[in-house]
Amino acid sequence: MSRILITGGTGLVGTRLTEMLIAKKHEVVILSRNPQNKNEFKWDVSANYIDEKALIDTDYIIHLAGAGIADKRWTEERKQVIIDSRVKTANLLFNKITALNVHLKGFISASGVGYYGAITKQITFEETDNVGTDFLGDVCQKWENAAHQFSKKDIPVTILRTGIVLSKKGGALEKMKTPIIAPLGSGKQFLPWIHIEDLCLIYIKAVEENFTGIFNTVAPEHHTSITFSKELAKSIKKPYLGIGVPAFILKLLFGEMANILLEGSKVSAKKIEKNGYSFRFKTLKKALDNL
């Protein structure tokens, strides 16, 4: 049994991951701006504060905290919030474990497939490929750099570059369940995705099997906006409209943020499979049927 500290523990992934870790007899503590339960401890990044009791005897930190990428339009102020909520939080954790001389067994950080940039290409991106040159690429690179600093203290670092997380409640799938299902823009952009159960099991693998390095956490089956929409429409028995939502409308509504809806490339799951993870939900049909 390990003692695991989770940031972003009340979010979509953090909530389910906490349940699964506790079911496997791990002790989970959560950093929260407004602690409500006995396993939650206060932190305040603006005040450079973490309740030290949260860090005592901690074996692993799972860093999921970060303002939602697609929650609001990308003003310059919002962009800085997106970066700071990932980077400053990691820096605070690093400084506090250094000050308290906490000997972690591992630091496990979320990242995104946005690392490769919001672009549509026929190549399949692998973990060794270059970072994208757009805002998302910049966010993910800074996010990952903040995680890598833990290796300076001989702490193993695991980074999971995650696609769209599919879950029963909340998240992207709920927003996709419109009365009529249609692709976005050209529909040719790829949507790297993963079932929330698979993602949480990979985090658990990182804890229980000393699973370190950088990994794409996406299902092995590739889908475009068109094929994803067709599968979703069939699954929830809603009409499918083959005419895509026009790109100019999305750009009017969301500004620069529309790029993450209109662009996307294939992302490889081969490395994580070669490292011993077997997906429970390899196909979108199986994932949607389950959800």
Side-chain angles (χ1 to χ4, degrees):
M1 185 185 82
S2 298
R3 189 174 196 264
I4 301 157
L5 173 67
I6 301 181
T7 72
T10 57
L12 181 74
V13 176
T15 299
R16 181 60 184 139
L17 179 57
T18 296
E19 293 171 352
M20 291 172 71
L21 285 167
I22 290 172
K24 292 177 75 69
K25 309 302 182 187
H26 295 290
E27 179 186 358
V28 178
V29 296
I30 292 168
L31 289 179
S32 172
R33 286 171 291 183
N34 300 293
Q36 304 290 328
N37 302 308
K38 63 180 182 179
N39 71 327
E40 295 180 2
F41 295 85
K42 185 173 179 62
W43 74 333
D44 184 340
V45 179
S46 62
N48 203 39
Y49 174 79
I50 296 178
D51 185 337
E52 294 181 0
K53 294 191 292 293
L55 292 166
I56 294 170
D57 297 326
T58 294
D59 295 306
Y60 295 89
I61 293 176
I62 297 179
H63 184 40
L64 304 176
I69 293 286
D71 287 357
K72 297 180 182 179
R73 278 180 80 100
W74 289 353
T75 62
E76 290 306 310
E77 182 181 8
R78 180 62 182 174
K79 284 182 174 182
Q80 199 58 52
V81 167
I82 288 170
I83 293 170
D84 290 348
S85 62
R86 290 159 169 77
V87 175
K88 285 189 175 181
T89 47
N91 290 343
L92 176 59
L93 290 165
F94 180 76
N95 292 337
K96 292 298 180 183
I97 67 148
T98 300
L100 296 171
N101 200 28
V102 178
H103 298 288
L104 294 177
K105 294 179 182 176
F107 183 83
I108 305 158
S109 178
S111 183
V113 295
Y115 179 91
Y116 308 107
I119 52 175
T120 303
K121 287 188 174 181
Q122 285 304 310
I123 66 168
T124 303
F125 285 102
E126 298 182 347
E127 289 82 353
T128 52
D129 282 311
N130 292 333
V131 65
T133 57
D134 58 4
F135 172 64
L136 274 191
D138 185 48
V139 170
C140 292
Q141 185 169 49
K142 288 174 177 174
W143 197 359
E144 295 185 14
N145 287 344
H148 283 307
Q149 68 186 318
F150 285 81
S151 62
K152 297 174 187 174
K153 299 187 69 64
D154 294 323
I155 296 168
V157 172
T158 306
I159 293 172
L160 303 182
R161 293 177 183 159
T162 305
I164 297 167
V165 180
L166 303 184
S167 62
K168 192 165 289 189
K169 294 180 181 178
L173 192 56
E174 201 165 84
K175 295 174 183 176
M176 292 176 181
K177 292 179 181 178
T178 52
I180 297 174
I181 310 298
L184 302 179
S186 70
K188 295 177 181 178
Q189 70 276 29
F190 287 90
L191 303 179
W193 62 275
I194 187 169
H195 191 296
I196 193 168
E197 296 292 302
D198 276 318
L199 179 59
C200 290
L201 286 169
I202 291 168
Y203 274 103
I204 292 169
K205 181 180 176 72
V207 168
E208 295 184 342
E209 300 180 25
N210 200 26
F211 186 64
T212 61
I214 298 173
F215 298 91
N216 294 328
T217 43
V218 295
E221 185 181 72
H222 304 299
H223 277 275
T224 63
S225 182
I226 290 172
T227 61
F228 191 108
S229 298
K230 285 181 178 178
E231 197 66 64
L232 177 59
K234 191 186 304 179
S235 176
I236 62 175
K237 297 177 172 58
K238 292 285 178 70
Y240 168 76
L241 181 65
I243 303 169
V245 179
F248 78 89
I249 291 179
L250 294 171
K251 288 176 181 177
L252 280 174
L253 287 171
F254 302 115
E256 184 186 352
M257 194 183 80
N259 289 344
I260 66 174
L261 304 174
L262 296 168
E263 304 292 344
S265 294
K266 289 182 283 188
V267 176
S268 173
K270 286 181 180 177
K271 181 180 177 183
I272 203 160
E273 289 185 304
K274 285 178 181 175
N275 278 265
Y277 185 72
S278 179
F279 283 87
R280 291 191 177 185
F281 300 95
K282 281 192 170 188
T283 69
L284 183 59
K285 183 182 186 307
K286 189 174 181 181
L288 292 176
D289 287 348
N290 173 262
L291 295 169

